[in-house]
Amino acid sequence: MVSNNSAQCVRAFLDRHGLGGYIAAIVGRPSEQPHLMKPNPYPLIHAAELMHVDVSVCTLIGDSVTDIQAARAAGASVIGYANKPTKAETFASLGANAITYEMQAIADALSVGQIS
């Protein structure tokens, strides 16, 4: 998981909601290095390195312009989560590979093996 929030905050959120066991690693905001936050591709590249995979085979699911920009800069695929109606057009213009309006669609696709 990659976030511009601190890894500690992300872990606390995941644990509070019973999701901590689903996440292998969290790459959060680099301490005292804001220039390495998204849209910089650094967090995505670092996360891929931690998982021992090439970032080009990774997919980021993001709900912000900086998420889309970071994924494109890293060479990763990106699914734009358009949680507001105006986001879909913006994400498309930035080169999102796909756009979803609800996270359940991604969860359903993962559960039936449509996404690997």
Side-chain angles (χ1 to χ4, degrees), residues 28-81:
R29 165 178 68 237
S31 180
E32 299 181 30
Q33 299 183 67
H35 65 282
L36 295 179
M37 294 168 57
K38 298 176 287 174
N40 188 310
Y42 167 80
L44 284 71
I45 294 167
H46 183 60
E49 289 171 349
L50 288 174
M51 302 307 297
H52 306 288
V53 297
D54 189 291
V55 71
S56 67
V57 300
C58 296
T59 300
L60 175 74
I61 303 166
D63 68 346
S64 71
V65 166
T66 58
D67 290 332
I68 309 302
Q69 292 169 328
R72 302 313 303 158
S77 297
V78 60
I79 298 171
Y81 171 42

Side-chain angles (χ1 to χ4, degrees), residues 65-99:
V65 166
T66 58
D67 290 332
I68 309 302
Q69 292 169 328
R72 302 313 303 158
S77 297
V78 60
I79 298 171
Y81 171 42
N83 55 358
K84 295 179 182 170
T86 58
K87 289 185 175 184
E89 187 176 324
T90 300
F91 293 165
S93 73
L94 292 171
N97 299 91
I99 297 169

